[in-house]
Amino acid sequence: MKKSKVISLVLLFSLLVSALMVCSLLSVAAQIEDYKKAILETAQSLQLDGTLNVSESEEMSEVTYSQFLIEGETSIVIQCVVYGTEEVRDGILALGAAMAEAAKEMYDSVPATNTETHTIQGITVIEQDTPAYLYETVMYSVEMPQVRSMYVELSPLASCSVSTYGGPDPKPYMVALLEHLQDADLLPGEGGGIPAPDSDSDGVPDDIDRCPDTPVGAAVDDKGCSAGA
């Protein structure tokens, strides 16, 4: 009798786990469709004529839109990624960072990447710029183009980015992408997007706050300074 109860509990637990996995996959699939729509609308608004690819798995699903702006010279990639779990996300990000670090150690020609934080339409966006360089190995050498990327985190398990190869400014593409993500209600938080840094909590983002140390609760103007200052 006890053995029968144990088996029943195990089966019930297995069914619950399976149900949760199905719900998770359905949720990820629904998100991917939303991101796919937002990216296609972004491409249409920018009059791009590229290629859309969708890759889905239990670990990670992604939507990637790519186009050569000038064949063989410049290109653009718009991508949104949804991770299955935080562990998968952390593992993939750690692997990417480790590979980048290994490349710097192995090849002296790999330049440092410049990283800056911007606020676009009240949303925190990370920009990374890697200069062009000559990638050399014992067997061959390849001229690597300048890579400029803008990245926005939408949730702990979802992010979108715009990358240009060969020099074009990614900002106009990111602005358009954010607008369509907002239209699709894919930007979290009131007003949309990850809140911009605001050290003194006066409602004015740090990057435009001229008085970054105003007292808590003090009335401030649009520059972040106390009235009459």
PDB file of all heavy atoms in Angstrom, residues 32-64:
ATOM      1  N   ILE A  32       8.394  35.095 -28.048  1.00  0.00           N
ATOM      2  CA  ILE A  32       9.159  35.137 -29.289  1.00  0.00           C
ATOM      3  C   ILE A  32       8.310  35.697 -30.428  1.00  0.00           C
ATOM      4  O   ILE A  32       8.784  36.482 -31.251  1.00  0.00           O
ATOM      5  CB  ILE A  32       9.692  33.726 -29.640  1.00  0.00           C
ATOM      6  CG1 ILE A  32      10.856  33.377 -28.720  1.00  0.00           C
ATOM      7  CG2 ILE A  32      10.139  33.654 -31.090  1.00  0.00           C
ATOM      8  CD1 ILE A  32      12.051  34.307 -28.840  1.00  0.00           C
ATOM      9  N   GLU A  33       7.045  35.309 -30.481  1.00  0.00           N
ATOM     10  CA  GLU A  33       6.159  35.837 -31.523  1.00  0.00           C
ATOM     11  C   GLU A  33       5.987  37.344 -31.375  1.00  0.00           C
ATOM     12  O   GLU A  33       5.945  38.073 -32.365  1.00  0.00           O
ATOM     13  CB  GLU A  33       4.798  35.133 -31.459  1.00  0.00           C
ATOM     14  CG  GLU A  33       4.801  33.738 -32.047  1.00  0.00           C
ATOM     15  CD  GLU A  33       5.242  33.711 -33.504  1.00  0.00           C
ATOM     16  OE1 GLU A  33       4.730  34.529 -34.296  1.00  0.00           O
ATOM     17  OE2 GLU A  33       6.111  32.895 -33.842  1.00  0.00           O
ATOM     18  N   ASP A  34       5.888  37.813 -30.131  1.00  0.00           N
ATOM     19  CA  ASP A  34       5.756  39.255 -29.891  1.00  0.00           C
ATOM     20  C   ASP A  34       7.012  40.002 -30.328  1.00  0.00           C
ATOM     21  O   ASP A  34       6.933  41.062 -30.960  1.00  0.00           O
ATOM     22  CB  ASP A  34       5.493  39.519 -28.399  1.00  0.00           C
ATOM     23  CG  ASP A  34       4.099  39.080 -27.977  1.00  0.00           C
ATOM     24  OD1 ASP A  34       3.227  38.964 -28.858  1.00  0.00           O
ATOM     25  OD2 ASP A  34       3.888  38.855 -26.768  1.00  0.00           O
ATOM     26  N   TYR A  35       8.185  39.445 -29.991  1.00  0.00           N
ATOM     27  CA  TYR A  35       9.440  40.082 -30.387  1.00  0.00           C
ATOM     28  C   TYR A  35       9.615  40.045 -31.904  1.00  0.00           C
ATOM     29  O   TYR A  35      10.116  40.995 -32.512  1.00  0.00           O
ATOM     30  CB  TYR A  35      10.626  39.398 -29.698  1.00  0.00           C
ATOM     31  CG  TYR A  35      10.697  39.680 -28.213  1.00  0.00           C
ATOM     32  CD1 TYR A  35      10.679  38.650 -27.284  1.00  0.00           C
ATOM     33  CD2 TYR A  35      10.776  40.989 -27.738  1.00  0.00           C
ATOM     34  CE1 TYR A  35      10.734  38.905 -25.925  1.00  0.00           C
ATOM     35  CE2 TYR A  35      10.833  41.256 -26.386  1.00  0.00           C
ATOM     36  CZ  TYR A  35      10.806  40.213 -25.482  1.00  0.00           C
ATOM     37  OH  TYR A  35      10.858  40.471 -24.141  1.00  0.00           O
ATOM     38  N   LYS A  36       9.218  38.937 -32.498  1.00  0.00           N
ATOM     39  CA  LYS A  36       9.295  38.810 -33.953  1.00  0.00           C
ATOM     40  C   LYS A  36       8.484  39.911 -34.630  1.00  0.00           C
ATOM     41  O   LYS A  36       8.956  40.565 -35.562  1.00  0.00           O
ATOM     42  CB  LYS A  36       8.772  37.428 -34.375  1.00  0.00           C
ATOM     43  CG  LYS A  36       8.717  37.205 -35.876  1.00  0.00           C
ATOM     44  CD  LYS A  36       8.164  35.811 -36.174  1.00  0.00           C
ATOM     45  CE  LYS A  36       7.976  35.605 -37.666  1.00  0.00           C
ATOM     46  NZ  LYS A  36       7.426  34.266 -37.967  1.00  0.00           N
ATOM     47  N   LYS A  37       7.272  40.132 -34.137  1.00  0.00           N
ATOM     48  CA  LYS A  37       6.403  41.171 -34.700  1.00  0.00           C
ATOM     49  C   LYS A  37       7.020  42.554 -34.531  1.00  0.00           C
ATOM     50  O   LYS A  37       7.035  43.365 -35.459  1.00  0.00           O
ATOM     51  CB  LYS A  37       5.041  41.117 -34.010  1.00  0.00           C
ATOM     52  CG  LYS A  37       4.032  42.112 -34.568  1.00  0.00           C
ATOM     53  CD  LYS A  37       2.666  41.892 -33.934  1.00  0.00           C
ATOM     54  CE  LYS A  37       1.666  42.859 -34.546  1.00  0.00           C
ATOM     55  NZ  LYS A  37       1.105  43.789 -33.652  1.00  0.00           N
ATOM     56  N   ALA A  38       7.560  42.829 -33.325  1.00  0.00           N
ATOM     57  CA  ALA A  38       8.163  44.130 -33.050  1.00  0.00           C
ATOM     58  C   ALA A  38       9.375  44.383 -33.939  1.00  0.00           C
ATOM     59  O   ALA A  38       9.564  45.494 -34.460  1.00  0.00           O
ATOM     60  CB  ALA A  38       8.555  44.225 -31.578  1.00  0.00           C
ATOM     61  N   ILE A  39      10.204  43.351 -34.150  1.00  0.00           N
ATOM     62  CA  ILE A  39      11.395  43.509 -34.989  1.00  0.00           C
ATOM     63  C   ILE A  39      11.001  43.737 -36.446  1.00  0.00           C
ATOM     64  O   ILE A  39      11.577  44.590 -37.138  1.00  0.00           O
ATOM     65  CB  ILE A  39      12.310  42.281 -34.857  1.00  0.00           C
ATOM     66  CG1 ILE A  39      12.993  42.288 -33.488  1.00  0.00           C
ATOM     67  CG2 ILE A  39      13.359  42.254 -35.967  1.00  0.00           C
ATOM     68  CD1 ILE A  39      13.894  41.104 -33.230  1.00  0.00           C
ATOM     69  N   LEU A  40      10.017  42.985 -36.934  1.00  0.00           N
ATOM     70  CA  LEU A  40       9.574  43.162 -38.317  1.00  0.00           C
ATOM     71  C   LEU A  40       8.985  44.558 -38.532  1.00  0.00           C
ATOM     72  O   LEU A  40       9.219  45.192 -39.571  1.00  0.00           O
ATOM     73  CB  LEU A  40       8.548  42.093 -38.684  1.00  0.00           C
ATOM     74  CG  LEU A  40       9.104  40.688 -38.906  1.00  0.00           C
ATOM     75  CD1 LEU A  40       7.974  39.685 -39.119  1.00  0.00           C
ATOM     76  CD2 LEU A  40      10.059  40.663 -40.106  1.00  0.00           C
ATOM     77  N   GLU A  41       8.235  45.056 -37.561  1.00  0.00           N
ATOM     78  CA  GLU A  41       7.671  46.397 -37.677  1.00  0.00           C
ATOM     79  C   GLU A  41       8.773  47.453 -37.639  1.00  0.00           C
ATOM     80  O   GLU A  41       8.696  48.474 -38.332  1.00  0.00           O
ATOM     81  CB  GLU A  41       6.657  46.640 -36.552  1.00  0.00           C
ATOM     82  CG  GLU A  41       5.370  45.830 -36.739  1.00  0.00           C
ATOM     83  CD  GLU A  41       4.406  46.008 -35.579  1.00  0.00           C
ATOM     84  OE1 GLU A  41       4.819  46.568 -34.533  1.00  0.00           O
ATOM     85  OE2 GLU A  41       3.243  45.575 -35.716  1.00  0.00           O
ATOM     86  N   THR A  42       9.801  47.188 -36.841  1.00  0.00           N
ATOM     87  CA  THR A  42      10.958  48.094 -36.791  1.00  0.00           C
ATOM     88  C   THR A  42      11.653  48.141 -38.150  1.00  0.00           C
ATOM     89  O   THR A  42      11.970  49.218 -38.668  1.00  0.00           O
ATOM     90  CB  THR A  42      11.962  47.632 -35.719  1.00  0.00           C
ATOM     91  OG1 THR A  42      11.332  47.645 -34.439  1.00  0.00           O
ATOM     92  CG2 THR A  42      13.177  48.544 -35.689  1.00  0.00           C
ATOM     93  N   ALA A  43      11.898  46.964 -38.725  1.00  0.00           N
ATOM     94  CA  ALA A  43      12.558  46.890 -40.038  1.00  0.00           C
ATOM     95  C   ALA A  43      11.734  47.601 -41.101  1.00  0.00           C
ATOM     96  O   ALA A  43      12.277  48.313 -41.952  1.00  0.00           O
ATOM     97  CB  ALA A  43      12.772  45.425 -40.419  1.00  0.00           C
ATOM     98  N   GLN A  44      10.413  47.423 -41.047  1.00  0.00           N
ATOM     99  CA  GLN A  44       9.545  48.069 -42.026  1.00  0.00           C
ATOM    100  C   GLN A  44       9.588  49.584 -41.882  1.00  0.00           C
ATOM    101  O   GLN A  44       9.654  50.310 -42.878  1.00  0.00           O
ATOM    102  CB  GLN A  44       8.112  47.568 -41.865  1.00  0.00           C
ATOM    103  CG  GLN A  44       7.150  48.120 -42.915  1.00  0.00           C
ATOM    104  CD  GLN A  44       5.745  47.548 -42.767  1.00  0.00           C
ATOM    105  OE1 GLN A  44       5.418  46.930 -41.755  1.00  0.00           O
ATOM    106  NE2 GLN A  44       4.922  47.749 -43.765  1.00  0.00           N
ATOM    107  N   SER A  45       9.557  50.078 -40.650  1.00  0.00           N
ATOM    108  CA  SER A  45       9.578  51.521 -40.421  1.00  0.00           C
ATOM    109  C   SER A  45      10.894  52.141 -40.880  1.00  0.00           C
ATOM    110  O   SER A  45      10.946  53.315 -41.245  1.00  0.00           O
ATOM    111  CB  SER A  45       9.340  51.829 -38.942  1.00  0.00           C
ATOM    112  OG  SER A  45      10.444  51.445 -38.145  1.00  0.00           O
ATOM    113  N   LEU A  46      11.971  51.358 -40.843  1.00  0.00           N
ATOM    114  CA  LEU A  46      13.289  51.843 -41.273  1.00  0.00           C
ATOM    115  C   LEU A  46      13.569  51.529 -42.731  1.00  0.00           C
ATOM    116  O   LEU A  46      14.659  51.805 -43.229  1.00  0.00           O
ATOM    117  CB  LEU A  46      14.372  51.206 -40.397  1.00  0.00           C
ATOM    118  CG  LEU A  46      14.365  51.609 -38.917  1.00  0.00           C
ATOM    119  CD1 LEU A  46      15.287  50.708 -38.116  1.00  0.00           C
ATOM    120  CD2 LEU A  46      14.765  53.067 -38.752  1.00  0.00           C
ATOM    121  N   GLN A  47      12.582  50.928 -43.396  1.00  0.00           N
ATOM    122  CA  GLN A  47      12.697  50.544 -44.808  1.00  0.00           C
ATOM    123  C   GLN A  47      13.888  49.613 -45.051  1.00  0.00           C
ATOM    124  O   GLN A  47      14.598  49.730 -46.041  1.00  0.00           O
ATOM    125  CB  GLN A  47      12.810  51.795 -45.695  1.00  0.00           C
ATOM    126  CG  GLN A  47      11.565  52.685 -45.609  1.00  0.00           C
ATOM    127  CD  GLN A  47      11.636  53.877 -46.547  1.00  0.00           C
ATOM    128  OE1 GLN A  47      12.711  54.397 -46.824  1.00  0.00           O
ATOM    129  NE2 GLN A  47      10.484  54.307 -47.036  1.00  0.00           N
ATOM    130  N   LEU A  48      14.059  48.672 -44.133  1.00  0.00           N
ATOM    131  CA  LEU A  48      15.091  47.653 -44.301  1.00  0.00           C
ATOM    132  C   LEU A  48      14.513  46.488 -45.101  1.00  0.00           C
ATOM    133  O   LEU A  48      13.307  46.284 -45.139  1.00  0.00           O
ATOM    134  CB  LEU A  48      15.581  47.152 -42.937  1.00  0.00           C
ATOM    135  CG  LEU A  48      16.251  48.188 -42.034  1.00  0.00           C
ATOM    136  CD1 LEU A  48      16.588  47.558 -40.690  1.00  0.00           C
ATOM    137  CD2 LEU A  48      17.501  48.759 -42.683  1.00  0.00           C
ATOM    138  N   ASP A  49      15.382  45.738 -45.710  1.00  0.00           N
ATOM    139  CA  ASP A  49      14.946  44.606 -46.529  1.00  0.00           C
ATOM    140  C   ASP A  49      15.883  43.431 -46.281  1.00  0.00           C
ATOM    141  O   ASP A  49      16.571  42.956 -47.180  1.00  0.00           O
ATOM    142  CB  ASP A  49      14.940  44.995 -48.014  1.00  0.00           C
ATOM    143  CG  ASP A  49      14.376  43.890 -48.894  1.00  0.00           C
ATOM    144  OD1 ASP A  49      13.592  43.067 -48.369  1.00  0.00           O
ATOM    145  OD2 ASP A  49      14.723  43.842 -50.083  1.00  0.00           O
ATOM    146  N   GLY A  50      15.900  42.977 -45.032  1.00  0.00           N
ATOM    147  CA  GLY A  50      16.831  41.926 -44.656  1.00  0.00           C
ATOM    148  C   GLY A  50      16.169  40.578 -44.460  1.00  0.00           C
ATOM    149  O   GLY A  50      15.110  40.295 -45.009  1.00  0.00           O
ATOM    150  N   THR A  51      16.799  39.741 -43.632  1.00  0.00           N
ATOM    151  CA  THR A  51      16.344  38.367 -43.407  1.00  0.00           C
ATOM    152  C   THR A  51      16.053  38.146 -41.931  1.00  0.00           C
ATOM    153  O   THR A  51      16.848  38.545 -41.071  1.00  0.00           O
ATOM    154  CB  THR A  51      17.429  37.371 -43.862  1.00  0.00           C
ATOM    155  OG1 THR A  51      17.740  37.598 -45.233  1.00  0.00           O
ATOM    156  CG2 THR A  51      16.947  35.947 -43.682  1.00  0.00           C
ATOM    157  N   LEU A  52      14.933  37.495 -41.638  1.00  0.00           N
ATOM    158  CA  LEU A  52      14.548  37.188 -40.261  1.00  0.00           C
ATOM    159  C   LEU A  52      14.743  35.697 -39.993  1.00  0.00           C
ATOM    160  O   LEU A  52      14.310  34.859 -40.780  1.00  0.00           O
ATOM    161  CB  LEU A  52      13.091  37.568 -40.009  1.00  0.00           C
ATOM    162  CG  LEU A  52      12.602  37.345 -38.568  1.00  0.00           C
ATOM    163  CD1 LEU A  52      13.095  38.480 -37.684  1.00  0.00           C
ATOM    164  CD2 LEU A  52      11.087  37.264 -38.510  1.00  0.00           C
ATOM    165  N   ASN A  53      15.393  35.382 -38.884  1.00  0.00           N
ATOM    166  CA  ASN A  53      15.586  33.989 -38.476  1.00  0.00           C
ATOM    167  C   ASN A  53      15.118  33.815 -37.040  1.00  0.00           C
ATOM    168  O   ASN A  53      15.363  34.673 -36.184  1.00  0.00           O
ATOM    169  CB  ASN A  53      17.060  33.588 -38.580  1.00  0.00           C
ATOM    170  CG  ASN A  53      17.534  33.518 -40.015  1.00  0.00           C
ATOM    171  OD1 ASN A  53      17.060  32.691 -40.782  1.00  0.00           O
ATOM    172  ND2 ASN A  53      18.452  34.389 -40.390  1.00  0.00           N
ATOM    173  N   VAL A  54      14.434  32.705 -36.765  1.00  0.00           N
ATOM    174  CA  VAL A  54      13.947  32.390 -35.417  1.00  0.00           C
ATOM    175  C   VAL A  54      14.545  31.056 -34.996  1.00  0.00           C
ATOM    176  O   VAL A  54      14.441  30.059 -35.715  1.00  0.00           O
ATOM    177  CB  VAL A  54      12.411  32.320 -35.367  1.00  0.00           C
ATOM    178  CG1 VAL A  54      11.948  31.970 -33.952  1.00  0.00           C
ATOM    179  CG2 VAL A  54      11.790  33.638 -35.824  1.00  0.00           C
ATOM    180  N   SER A  55      15.176  31.037 -33.821  1.00  0.00           N
ATOM    181  CA  SER A  55      15.756  29.811 -33.269  1.00  0.00           C
ATOM    182  C   SER A  55      15.137  29.573 -31.897  1.00  0.00           C
ATOM    183  O   SER A  55      15.168  30.452 -31.037  1.00  0.00           O
ATOM    184  CB  SER A  55      17.275  29.963 -33.147  1.00  0.00           C
ATOM    185  OG  SER A  55      17.832  28.863 -32.458  1.00  0.00           O
ATOM    186  N   GLU A  56      14.576  28.389 -31.677  1.00  0.00           N
ATOM    187  CA  GLU A  56      13.889  28.096 -30.417  1.00  0.00           C
ATOM    188  C   GLU A  56      14.386  26.788 -29.812  1.00  0.00           C
ATOM    189  O   GLU A  56      14.570  25.798 -30.513  1.00  0.00           O
ATOM    190  CB  GLU A  56      12.377  28.007 -30.644  1.00  0.00           C
ATOM    191  CG  GLU A  56      11.749  29.310 -31.130  1.00  0.00           C
ATOM    192  CD  GLU A  56      10.240  29.207 -31.275  1.00  0.00           C
ATOM    193  OE1 GLU A  56       9.548  29.172 -30.242  1.00  0.00           O
ATOM    194  OE2 GLU A  56       9.761  29.149 -32.419  1.00  0.00           O
ATOM    195  N   SER A  57      14.607  26.816 -28.492  1.00  0.00           N
ATOM    196  CA  SER A  57      14.969  25.607 -27.743  1.00  0.00           C
ATOM    197  C   SER A  57      14.530  25.802 -26.298  1.00  0.00           C
ATOM    198  O   SER A  57      14.073  26.879 -25.912  1.00  0.00           O
ATOM    199  CB  SER A  57      16.480  25.357 -27.802  1.00  0.00           C
ATOM    200  OG  SER A  57      17.168  26.336 -27.040  1.00  0.00           O
ATOM    201  N   GLU A  58      14.678  24.757 -25.487  1.00  0.00           N
ATOM    202  CA  GLU A  58      14.302  24.862 -24.080  1.00  0.00           C
ATOM    203  C   GLU A  58      15.235  25.810 -23.345  1.00  0.00           C
ATOM    204  O   GLU A  58      14.835  26.475 -22.390  1.00  0.00           O
ATOM    205  CB  GLU A  58      14.332  23.489 -23.415  1.00  0.00           C
ATOM    206  CG  GLU A  58      13.260  22.529 -23.922  1.00  0.00           C
ATOM    207  CD  GLU A  58      13.282  21.219 -23.161  1.00  0.00           C
ATOM    208  OE1 GLU A  58      13.942  21.178 -22.098  1.00  0.00           O
ATOM    209  OE2 GLU A  58      12.656  20.251 -23.617  1.00  0.00           O
ATOM    210  N   GLU A  59      16.502  25.884 -23.785  1.00  0.00           N
ATOM    211  CA  GLU A  59      17.485  26.711 -23.090  1.00  0.00           C
ATOM    212  C   GLU A  59      17.370  28.186 -23.479  1.00  0.00           C
ATOM    213  O   GLU A  59      17.424  29.070 -22.632  1.00  0.00           O
ATOM    214  CB  GLU A  59      18.909  26.227 -23.400  1.00  0.00           C
ATOM    215  CG  GLU A  59      19.246  24.890 -22.788  1.00  0.00           C
ATOM    216  CD  GLU A  59      18.655  23.725 -23.568  1.00  0.00           C
ATOM    217  OE1 GLU A  59      18.349  23.924 -24.766  1.00  0.00           O
ATOM    218  OE2 GLU A  59      18.488  22.642 -22.992  1.00  0.00           O
ATOM    219  N   MET A  60      17.215  28.458 -24.771  1.00  0.00           N
ATOM    220  CA  MET A  60      17.231  29.841 -25.230  1.00  0.00           C
ATOM    221  C   MET A  60      16.544  29.949 -26.581  1.00  0.00           C
ATOM    222  O   MET A  60      16.716  29.105 -27.449  1.00  0.00           O
ATOM    223  CB  MET A  60      18.677  30.342 -25.346  1.00  0.00           C
ATOM    224  CG  MET A  60      18.815  31.782 -25.801  1.00  0.00           C
ATOM    225  SD  MET A  60      20.547  32.302 -25.910  1.00  0.00           S
ATOM    226  CE  MET A  60      21.060  31.415 -27.403  1.00  0.00           C
ATOM    227  N   SER A  61      15.745  30.986 -26.737  1.00  0.00           N
ATOM    228  CA  SER A  61      15.112  31.253 -28.025  1.00  0.00           C
ATOM    229  C   SER A  61      15.476  32.663 -28.456  1.00  0.00           C
ATOM    230  O   SER A  61      15.607  33.566 -27.627  1.00  0.00           O
ATOM    231  CB  SER A  61      13.588  31.112 -27.918  1.00  0.00           C
ATOM    232  OG  SER A  61      13.229  29.782 -27.593  1.00  0.00           O
ATOM    233  N   GLU A  62      15.666  32.858 -29.753  1.00  0.00           N
ATOM    234  CA  GLU A  62      16.063  34.174 -30.224  1.00  0.00           C
ATOM    235  C   GLU A  62      15.473  34.488 -31.596  1.00  0.00           C
ATOM    236  O   GLU A  62      15.217  33.599 -32.397  1.00  0.00           O
ATOM    237  CB  GLU A  62      17.586  34.292 -30.279  1.00  0.00           C
ATOM    238  CG  GLU A  62      18.261  33.244 -31.151  1.00  0.00           C
ATOM    239  CD  GLU A  62      19.774  33.272 -31.029  1.00  0.00           C
ATOM    240  OE1 GLU A  62      20.299  33.938 -30.127  1.00  0.00           O
ATOM    241  OE2 GLU A  62      20.438  32.623 -31.847  1.00  0.00           O
ATOM    242  N   VAL A  63      15.244  35.779 -31.797  1.00  0.00           N
ATOM    243  CA  VAL A  63      14.793  36.286 -33.086  1.00  0.00           C
ATOM    244  C   VAL A  63      15.890  37.197 -33.601  1.00  0.00           C
ATOM    245  O   VAL A  63      16.303  38.140 -32.909  1.00  0.00           O
ATOM    246  CB  VAL A  63      13.478  37.084 -32.961  1.00  0.00           C
ATOM    247  CG1 VAL A  63      13.025  37.573 -34.338  1.00  0.00           C
ATOM    248  CG2 VAL A  63      12.395  36.240 -32.325  1.00  0.00           C
ATOM    249  N   THR A  64      16.389  36.949 -34.801  1.00  0.00           N
ATOM    250  CA  THR A  64      17.495  37.727 -35.352  1.00  0.00           C
ATOM    251  C   THR A  64      17.131  38.252 -36.736  1.00  0.00           C
ATOM    252  O   THR A  64      16.746  37.479 -37.615  1.00  0.00           O
ATOM    253  CB  THR A  64      18.776  36.878 -35.463  1.00  0.00           C
ATOM    254  OG1 THR A  64      19.085  36.335 -34.180  1.00  0.00           O
ATOM    255  CG2 THR A  64      19.939  37.725 -35.947  1.00  0.00           C
TER     256      THR A  64
END
